[in-house]
Amino acid sequence: MPEDLNWAIGGEAGDGIDSTGKIFAQALSRAGRHVFTSKDFASRIRGGYTAYKVRTSVDRVESVVDRLDILIALTERTIDENMDELHEGSVIIYDGERTSMQDVEIPDGMVGLNVPLKRLAEEAGGAIMANIVALGAACEVSQFPIENLDASLEKRFSDKGTAIVENNKKSARLGQEYVQENYDHEFDYDLETTDNDYVLLNGDEAIGMGAIAAGCKFYSGYPITPATDVMEYLTGRIDQFGGKVVQAEDELSAINMALGAARAGARSMTATSGPGIDLMTETFGLVATTETPLVICDVMRSGPSTGMPTKQEQGDLNMLLYGGHGEIPRFVVGPTTVSECFWKTVEAFNLAEKYQTPVFLVSDLALAVTEQTFPPEAFDMDEVEIDRGKVVDENDIDTWQDEQGRFQPHFATADGISPRTFPGNTQGAHMTTGLEHDSLGRRTEDTDVRIEQVDKRERKVQTAREEEDWEPREFGDSDADTLVISWGSNEGALREALEFLEEDDVDVRILSVPYLFPRPDLEAAIEDAETTIVVECNATGQFADVVEHDVLERVERINKYNGIRFKADELAEDIKATVSPQAEVEQ
């Protein structure tokens, strides 16, 4: 019996693939099993191949692998799409009574279960429950107690009434009973359950939860894949904490609204994807020059232009680091795990207010849509600290007034961080323009003042370099000759790739970098290594370019840009293939 189980359902977009997968994932997590999900969906509302995959184990899982044990195939194409991951003994559940599935041929060595999904669903109350029948069949194949499915069905359908819930439970049991009665086969799976209690959420939801924990009071956004779930999570929830969500008419309006709320003293945020960042860039400059704290989340997807909206890519880094006209101080923070999406969101709000600068919070599609299990203590709200920065009130505002009693919101301090007041402080009344301005916020073209203000804004970055901890996360063998550097969602796959590499006696030191600007000094680590490899999901090696710029030394690159995230076993092979030429030279 394998240590983990890899399950999937696939079919056409609009066939309820996502909701079915989520129901099964929730049932597994409620049964005390770890879960890691992945999705493959077309960039259209209906039609086109889509799949939902679940990897589950009693031990923590952090990646997808090239193995599929149970497949619910709603279309013949589903089998073809997953052929590379199916293996001898894989179980394929399908409805042979459907016209499109009557000629399905099960590959040699695999087990085909022809289950009349639609007919059984109609017996339970409606054909729409065919996918739930398939879940019941999957429970029998995997020896997963079907009672664990009940709670997940209740959560999903409780708002539709008791009858609907009971019909779905009946559908699942009809699928289970059909397999019991019609297939005398010893399956290789026996899903163990535990008493552990896990939280199941994806990266977008973790960002939304982090925003609430950080005290965000205003969110404005425009729907765009794959960032929309941030707004959906906040809608209805942030209101309970005195916040507000506004769906704007476009991305430019969204960032302008967020800017206005931030100027009014509210912790504010907007989230979008690459095309939205393009539109927000002009206002991004205004945010920076007015020294307004604002968090801008970019959930990356495949580009350029419309690209592949539902596919993975880390192609926006150059835009986030350098985008905008003129020279704009900014921070770029990139969570590397789903749980870190929560904590780095909290940190992004603190950095924005502490240094009065815009912060790009950069995620990607793989993080956004991946649902993963965590113990509740992974999100301990008592550990959340809020730093609102250099805020002054009536008691100390006179320190920051000029000889005429006027407040100076852009005073050229030694650390580059000026005093800040909230509306309502009459002695702190001031204006700020997007034009270059003096310490009072009034426009100016005075050359000395221009230099003073540019230098002041840049000093904030240097101050942050000195005050904050920008170190990467390290794992693997600290003495290894091979150094692998990564950013974004690749961390989980790298952690599990270590297990494959250790089996082949390949020692690797891994640095996962969550801070892209300012970023850690990697020079010493690279000097200690014989081979340095940078792993990222783009074609040109954008972070590899940055690393080479910083250390003035060439690095090896592993790039993937076909729209699919790295898998642990695949990444291990890529690392071995990259290192082996070096080994041959040494011999």
Side-chain angles (χ1 to χ4, degrees):
M1 183 178 72
E3 295 181 357
D4 58 0
L5 178 81
N6 292 270
W7 170 99
I9 181 171
E12 292 289 308
D15 285 346
I17 304 297
D18 188 75
S19 59
T20 306
K22 185 67 174 284
I23 289 169
F24 193 52
Q26 288 176 335
L28 291 164
S29 66
R30 287 172 179 269
R33 294 185 61 85
H34 276 293
V35 168
F36 188 95
T37 75
S38 62
K39 300 178 185 179
D40 185 3
F41 49 107
S43 304
R44 61 180 88 172
I45 295 174
R46 187 169 185 85
Y49 174 73
T50 183
Y52 190 113
K53 299 184 179 181
V54 176
R55 184 180 176 204
T56 179
S57 172
V58 293
D59 299 318
R60 185 164 179 77
V61 285
E62 299 185 87
S63 174
V64 291
V65 293
D66 279 321
R67 192 183 84 247
L68 190 52
D69 304 310
I70 300 175
L71 174 64
I72 298 174
L74 301 184
T75 62
E76 188 171 1
R77 179 182 175 182
T78 300
I79 301 174
D80 296 333
E81 290 282 349
N82 293 278
M83 188 60 68
D84 291 343
E85 297 181 15
L86 293 167
H87 57 84
E88 184 173 352
S90 289
V91 177
I92 301 173
I93 300 170
Y94 68 101
D95 187 348
E97 292 185 359
R98 295 183 60 179
T99 304
S100 60
M101 301 293 286
Q102 289 178 351
D103 298 324
V104 166
E105 294 184 6
I106 303 300
D108 292 339
M110 301 179 194
V111 180
L113 300 185
N114 184 351
V115 181
L117 305 178
K118 181 180 178 182
R119 175 157 56 85
L120 292 175
E122 288 173 340
E123 289 181 20
I128 196 172
M129 295 180 291
N131 291 5
I132 306 301
V133 176
L135 283 183
C139 286
E140 176 63 21
V141 172
S142 62
Q143 294 301 294
F144 181 59
I146 200 166
E147 292 78 17
N148 291 302
L149 196 61
D150 291 345
S152 188
L153 292 172
E154 289 170 0
K155 180 177 181 180
R156 177 67 177 84
F157 299 111
S158 60
D159 60 339
K160 298 183 182 297
T162 303
I164 297 297
V165 172
E166 293 305 315
N167 287 348
N168 276 276
K169 290 180 181 179
K170 181 179 179 181
S171 295
R173 281 160 175 76
L174 287 177
Q176 178 191 43
E177 293 166 2
Y178 189 89
V179 174
Q180 288 175 342
E181 297 169 1
N182 291 275
Y183 292 98
D184 182 17
H185 185 89
E186 290 293 329
F187 299 106
D188 296 330
Y189 313 108
D190 187 4
L191 291 190
E192 176 187 350
T193 61
T194 76
D195 294 328
N196 294 326
D197 181 25
Y198 295 126
V199 176
L200 179 69
L201 77 165
N202 63 36
D204 275 359
E205 292 167 341
I207 289 172
M209 187 167 67
I212 292 175
C216 178
K217 290 296 185 286
F218 184 82
Y219 177 95
S220 53
Y222 183 77
I224 183 172
T225 300
T228 306
D229 280 352
V230 176
M231 181 163 60
E232 290 189 359
Y233 180 89
L234 289 171
T235 301
R237 290 185 174 90
I238 199 172
D239 304 62
Q240 302 172 40
F241 301 91
K244 183 69 175 177
V245 171
V246 175
Q247 178 174 321
E249 62 267 32
D250 54 37
E251 290 85 353
L252 184 58
S253 177
I255 191 173
N256 284 333
M257 288 182 181
L259 168 60
R263 291 297 299 178
R267 281 197 156 188
S268 303
M269 177 183 182
T270 185
T272 186
S273 190
I277 295 293
D278 291 342
L279 295 173
M280 293 180 177
T281 300
E282 183 178 3
T283 298
F284 171 74
L286 178 61
V287 173
T289 197
T290 58
E291 301 185 86
T292 304
L294 184 64
V295 177
I296 306 164
C297 179
D298 176 21
V299 187
M300 296 179 292
R301 69 188 201 186
S302 295
S305 186
T306 309
M308 297 191 296
T310 61
K311 304 301 178 183
Q312 164 69 359
E313 196 164 282
Q314 296 173 298
D316 294 353
L317 181 59
N318 285 339
M319 176 171 60
L320 300 177
L321 292 177
Y322 311 117
H325 57 285
E327 297 169 314
I328 305 174
R330 84 235 11 231
F331 294 150
V332 184
V333 178
T336 60
T337 65
V338 171
S339 61
E340 204 176 53
C341 286
F342 172 85
W343 292 106
K344 292 307 178 192
T345 300
V346 174
E347 188 173 352
F349 277 100
N350 286 341
L351 289 171
E353 291 206 306
K354 187 175 180 179
Y355 297 99
Q356 298 171 27
T357 192
V359 176
F360 277 127
L361 180 69
V362 52
S363 177
D364 57 41
L365 183 137
L367 280 176
V369 304
T370 293
E371 288 152 335
Q372 192 173 1
T373 43
F374 301 91
E377 57 267 24
F379 308 101
D380 185 354
M381 299 302 170
D382 291 335
E383 296 295 319
V384 173
E385 297 181 1
I386 295 178
D387 187 345
R388 303 220 63 179
K390 194 182 291 187
V391 177
V392 297
D393 56 24
E394 289 85 350
N395 296 322
D396 52 8
I397 196 168
D398 56 346
T399 304
W400 304 104
Q401 293 175 327
D402 67 5
E403 63 280 359
Q404 299 179 44
R406 297 175 297 184
F407 179 62
Q408 301 177 87
H410 302 285
F411 187 85
T413 57
D415 60 6
I417 306 166
S418 299
R420 179 175 174 232
T421 64
F422 295 142
N425 185 339
T426 56
Q427 293 178 291
H430 63 277
M431 64 165 290
T432 294
T433 175
L435 295 166
E436 189 55 273
H437 41 252
D438 60 16
S439 64
L440 296 170
R442 301 178 306 183
R443 66 180 182 179
T444 182
E445 293 182 359
D446 182 281
T447 54
D448 291 337
V449 175
R450 164 66 175 176
I451 293 173
E452 178 185 70
Q453 288 295 314
V454 170
D455 290 347
K456 169 202 137 39
R457 292 192 291 266
E458 289 299 328
R459 279 200 301 276
K460 292 189 287 188
V461 176
Q462 184 56 39
T463 298
R465 289 185 193 276
E466 298 168 357
E467 292 185 351
E468 306 296 333
D469 181 5
W470 305 106
E471 289 304 304
R473 196 160 34 256
E474 179 175 345
F475 46 98
D477 183 354
S478 60
D479 296 322
D481 292 331
T482 300
L483 173 66
V484 177
I485 300 173
S486 171
W487 65 286
S489 61
N490 308 315
E491 180 178 314
L494 277 171
R495 283 187 180 275
E496 293 204 351
L498 279 176
E499 299 176 16
F500 295 101
L501 293 168
E502 288 170 357
E503 293 174 0
D504 295 328
D505 296 321
V506 178
D507 296 326
V508 174
R509 178 188 183 188
I510 296 177
L511 297 180
S512 181
V513 181
Y515 302 107
L516 306 172
F517 189 82
R519 52 186 169 268
D521 184 354
L522 302 174
E523 186 171 6
I526 292 174
E527 285 182 353
D528 291 341
E530 293 184 9
T531 303
T532 298
I533 305 169
V534 177
V535 173
E536 53 191 321
C537 287
N538 56 52
T540 58
Q542 294 179 30
F543 193 58
D545 288 343
V546 169
V547 171
E548 289 182 345
H549 172 273
D550 288 350
V551 303
L552 301 179
E553 186 173 333
R554 292 292 185 185
V555 299
E556 301 293 332
R557 304 168 184 229
I558 294 177
N559 300 97
K560 187 173 185 180
Y561 47 95
N562 63 354
I564 301 173
R565 69 189 307 159
F566 281 110
K567 299 177 182 178
D569 42 3
E570 164 199 43
L571 197 47
E573 292 300 320
D574 288 343
I575 291 172
K576 287 191 293 183
T578 304
V579 173
S580 59
Q582 299 294 329
E584 292 174 4
V585 170
E586 291 175 2
Q587 292 174 358

